[in-house]
Amino acid sequence: METQRVQVAVIGSGFGGLTAAALLAKTGMQVAVLEQNNYPGGCASSYKRKGYWFETGATTLVGLDEDMPVRYLLEKTGMQLPLLKLETPMQVRLTDGTLITRYPKLEDWIQEAERVFGKQGQRQFWEACFEISQKVWRTSLQQVSFPFGSISDLWQAAKSVKVEQLSLVPLAFQNMKDFMTTHGLLQNERFVSFVDQQLLITAQNVHPEVNVLFGATALCYTLYGNYYVPGGLRQLGKSVASYLEEQGSQMMYRRLVKQITPVSEGGYQIDTDKGLVQAEYIIFGLPLNNVSSLFNDLKTKQSLQKYLLPADQVNGAVTWGIVFERSTSTPTVLHHQLHVPGGVPYIQSESVFVSLSHPEDELRAPDGMCVASVSTHVLHPKKNWIEQKKVLEQWAVKFLAGQGFFKEAQVKFVQAATPGAWIEWTGREWGQVGGYPQYQRIKPWQMKDARLDGRKAYLCGDTVYPGQGIPGVCLSGIIAANKLLRDHFKEGLERLHH
């Protein structure tokens, strides 16, 4: 079989890889995206069952506000996305039944937080969090050389540095436990429980481990524009894939990458299940654990070893797809976090996240029907192998019916998926989801730089800095593309920025 030759190979079509691919294609580079499935998107995609479209992982789109990564991508490429802005991003129900509305305006949200948790410390805490989050997003697109991997990175950072960026540095050494203590909130058990479950959505860990830079930003994502994508988040990946093809690049579906070999004359040989691909440059949009397993180059594997997290320090997920008849009692808010009294059976996670299809979205479900995508964290997925799918399906229906989402008789279809399904869908080791959790011992600059091997291989996705949630993985793709261009194709970098 003849070897295919490409200039840039992007391995995996998650949103980080697609972002990097689109930006490189805009500069005139020839890009080929190798994807093991027959559609793009990775963990920000959708799958079809019984004629309905369910979300694979991510369910809401954030990142379109000023100074945010998805907006940057759309402005640079001119892509248009079909979007519906949500009036109310989310509601949260505590174990005692208290309903909390995550209003999109800061003042409205502070008043709601004070109503539920008491006035002590709430205003100061949330105003501080929001101010930090704004600084973080402003900094993120100004400092695309961070984490630093070369003298050139340091020089670029020095040229771009602003005083407000320096004020963020101490917050990388402070965790959310310290931050809540400062505001007199650590003894407020209901509030701490609320914060922990909210942090799990975007930082994959709880308050003693998440630093203030990530934590404050994670807690404020409902205070930025939250969007619904008609037809499901698969439309996001499809839009970028279409843009790539318009630029003369290509999507190579059903291509399972089996091994990567650096070649002596430069570039890389990529062994796939459908033959060989030769690439001058590679960008990986895969989790670090998967990337390490693909290289047969001992030096590269050893250099990555210190960045890898073991199975007991990552999360898997159990997800449910539920189809039910809409009624007057169906919630109008689409996204919900429900705290579970006593925890989810067999899993012991403390909350589930529920996303409903929009009532006007007949691409996902016909008129009168609703699709619910439900998920919960599974700690240590290698050890906690969940096999009680039928029992969990029955539990989910009863629990959501008890929360008022529907009556059990209205449910037409339910299917649970365990971390094993994530392995099948995405190939991610142990079925890990949501990227690497934040850990206090790992400072931002100790996370993996976008340069993979010091040669012509780069890295993006949810297990590298910054990498969590759609805005994070998009930013990781922006950083990878910028570093590749600055290292090897400065003309292209000028084209991208002008």
Side-chain angles (χ1 to χ4, degrees):
M1 188 176 293
E2 187 177 342
T3 300
Q4 290 184 261
R5 286 175 169 78
V6 300
Q7 188 177 16
V8 184
V10 175
I11 313 298
S13 70
F15 197 58
L18 288 175
T19 295
L23 294 176
L24 294 179
K26 175 182 167 55
T27 70
M29 299 187 84
Q30 298 303 303
V31 184
V33 180
L34 282 66
E35 167 56 52
Q36 67 173 354
N37 290 316
N38 56 8
Y39 50 84
C43 292
S45 189
S46 317
Y47 66 95
K48 197 172 188 179
R49 291 283 187 279
K50 306 291 185 180
Y52 299 90
W53 284 95
F54 301 89
E55 301 292 31
T56 302
T59 56
T60 185
L61 178 60
V62 183
L64 286 155
D65 295 72
E66 189 175 357
D67 300 316
M68 293 185 82
V70 182
R71 179 166 176 169
Y72 172 93
L73 174 65
L74 298 186
E75 287 176 347
K76 289 296 181 185
T77 60
M79 282 188 292
Q80 301 288 322
L81 297 175
L83 299 172
L84 295 173
K85 189 170 185 179
L86 301 181
E87 290 185 16
T88 304
M90 183 200 304
Q91 288 184 319
V92 180
R93 191 178 295 275
L94 304 181
T95 53
D96 62 6
T98 301
L99 184 66
I100 305 169
T101 300
R102 293 292 321 249
Y103 292 107
K105 293 184 179 178
L106 178 61
E107 182 58 36
D108 294 341
W109 165 239
I110 289 172
Q111 291 182 23
E112 177 76 342
E114 290 179 337
R115 177 187 72 82
V116 176
F117 301 113
K119 288 198 172 184
Q120 181 181 339
Q122 291 293 327
R123 177 170 295 277
Q124 295 81 2
F125 177 83
W126 289 107
E127 286 178 345
C129 282
F130 188 59
E131 183 181 0
I132 292 166
S133 73
Q134 289 181 306
K135 288 181 180 179
V136 166
W137 287 122
R138 282 196 295 267
T139 299
S140 66
L141 290 173
Q142 295 165 353
Q143 292 289 355
V144 291
S145 61
F146 187 79
F148 311 130
S150 68
I151 298 298
S152 172
D153 285 348
L154 288 168
W155 173 239
Q156 292 298 321
K159 289 196 299 182
S160 305
V161 74
K162 296 184 178 179
V163 173
E164 76 167 8
Q165 296 169 6
L166 299 176
S167 70
L168 295 174
V169 175
L171 302 179
F173 295 91
Q174 186 181 9
N175 61 28
M176 291 302 293
K177 180 179 180 181
D178 301 329
F179 200 60
M180 286 193 286
T181 300
T182 300
H183 291 89
L185 292 167
L186 197 61
Q187 305 308 314
N188 189 333
E189 293 183 6
R190 291 173 85 229
F191 181 68
V192 172
S193 175
F194 165 81
V195 166
D196 278 346
Q197 297 309 304
Q198 290 281 282
L199 286 174
L200 278 169
I201 295 174
T202 46
Q204 299 291 312
N205 216 329
V206 291
H207 72 278
E209 292 290 356
V210 180
N211 73 45
V212 178
L213 280 182
F214 285 97
T217 306
L219 289 175
C220 289
Y221 89 91
T222 52
L223 298 175
Y224 294 89
N226 283 239
Y227 294 85
Y228 179 88
V229 184
L233 279 178
R234 66 193 175 97
Q235 304 291 356
L236 193 60
K238 284 178 64 178
S239 295
V240 184
S242 296
Y243 172 83
L244 283 167
E245 289 168 342
E246 289 167 7
Q247 300 302 306
S249 290
Q250 58 182 317
M251 300 293 300
M252 299 169 67
Y253 296 113
R254 309 303 297 179
R255 289 292 185 107
L256 177 63
V257 175
K258 301 163 78 172
Q259 186 171 278
I260 307 290
T261 307
V263 295
S264 56
E265 60 268 28
Y268 303 86
Q269 178 177 290
I270 305 167
D271 289 78
T272 81
D273 58 347
K274 291 183 173 65
L276 300 178
V277 176
Q278 194 96 18
E280 185 177 359
Y281 305 96
I282 291 186
I283 293 182
F284 289 91
L286 309 177
L288 269 167
N289 296 72
N290 291 72
V291 173
S292 178
S293 67
L294 288 176
F295 271 88
N296 69 354
D297 169 32
L298 186 60
K299 182 181 177 182
T300 303
K301 293 174 82 76
Q302 289 175 338
S303 70
L304 292 176
Q305 194 61 40
K306 65 180 177 181
Y307 298 105
L308 305 183
L309 289 184
D312 63 350
Q313 294 179 30
V314 303
N315 295 309
V318 165
T319 61
W320 294 264
I322 302 174
V323 178
F324 63 93
E325 297 173 348
R326 287 190 183 274
S327 68
T328 53
S329 63
T330 303
T332 55
V333 174
L334 299 186
H335 301 299
H336 304 260
Q337 187 179 50
L338 310 174
H339 292 217
V340 180
V344 180
Y346 303 106
I347 303 168
Q348 300 312 308
S349 55
E350 297 179 16
S351 66
V352 297
F353 191 80
V354 182
S355 289
L356 306 178
S357 60
H358 195 283
E360 297 174 12
D361 185 3
E362 294 189 20
L363 293 171
R364 291 186 62 195
D367 186 35
M369 304 299 290
C370 183
V371 171
S373 297
V374 186
S375 61
T376 194
H377 286 80
V378 176
L379 298 176
H380 197 338
K382 184 179 179 181
K383 178 181 177 182
N384 298 326
W385 203 248
I386 308 299
E387 297 179 340
Q388 299 87 353
K389 288 175 62 173
K390 291 300 176 187
V391 177
L392 286 168
E393 288 170 1
Q394 294 168 1
W395 173 85
V397 169
K398 287 186 177 297
F399 179 69
L400 291 179
Q403 297 285 318
F405 280 75
F406 46 70
K407 294 179 180 177
E408 290 187 46
Q410 293 174 315
V411 175
K412 301 303 179 186
F413 172 77
V414 57
Q415 183 179 48
T418 68
W422 282 86
I423 295 174
E424 184 179 339
W425 289 340
T426 66
R428 296 166 70 97
E429 189 171 26
W430 313 307
Q432 64 173 305
V433 299
Y436 278 174
Q438 295 295 312
Y439 285 101
Q440 178 64 16
R441 70 180 189 276
I442 304 173
K443 306 308 178 196
W445 52 86
Q446 294 173 311
M447 302 173 85
K448 183 69 187 87
D449 174 33
R451 293 185 187 86
L452 182 68
D453 62 354
R455 296 174 67 247
K456 294 184 176 181
Y458 294 79
L459 187 66
C460 61
D462 62 8
T463 56
V464 297
Y465 173 88
Q468 291 184 340
I470 289 178
V473 295
C474 182
L475 180 55
S476 76
I478 294 168
I479 292 171
N482 270 268
K483 289 198 173 186
L484 186 155
L485 291 170
R486 185 151 48 82
D487 291 347
H488 304 285
F489 195 46
K490 286 188 170 58
E491 272 186 37
L493 189 64
E494 291 172 6
R495 286 181 209 161
L496 180 62
H497 292 306
H498 297 98

